[in-house]
Amino acid sequence: GGENYIITFHETEDNAITNDNALSTTNYTNINPFVQILYVRAEDPDTGCFSVMPITLEVNPSPVAPINLDNIEVCDTNANNQDGVMT
């Protein structure tokens, strides 16, 4: 609703609730490889009311393409077989 909230990230839910040990938003190294649960704290600076929720960061390895691929060949056999287009 257009409010200005203070957003912080924490490694534990308890730290998020007590607003201790906020993580850097520019330089963070996860402690669990490939999957890390962090806790987000959103606080209304006017009322002090806050909400905490978990988020999961997941890192998937890049796919490895096979080195030797077969040629892809599609004949132009649609209604206009001279336009060089085939779906």
Side-chain angles (χ1 to χ4, degrees):
E3 299 295 327
N4 292 318
Y5 292 100
I6 300 168
I7 306 295
T8 53
F9 301 89
H10 306 264
E11 285 183 338
T12 68
E13 186 176 24
D14 287 340
N15 282 347
I17 291 169
T18 59
N19 202 21
D20 290 328
N21 301 317
L23 301 172
S24 169
T25 57
T26 58
N27 187 16
Y28 174 73
T29 302
N30 57 314
I31 55 176
N32 296 318
F34 307 110
V35 176
Q36 179 74 49
I37 297 173
L38 296 179
Y39 295 87
V40 181
R41 174 188 173 103
E43 181 178 339
D44 183 329
D46 296 329
T47 66
C49 293
F50 66 91
S51 181
V52 172
M53 67 179 291
I55 59 170
T56 302
L57 306 176
E58 240 179 278
V59 177
N60 296 317
S62 298
V64 177
I67 295 173
N68 296 320
L69 295 174
D70 294 333
N71 290 336
I72 298 173
E73 295 177 6
V74 177
C75 295
D76 189 0
T77 58
N78 61 2
N80 180 356
N81 61 7
Q82 298 300 310
D83 63 0
V85 176
M86 184 64 189
T87 52

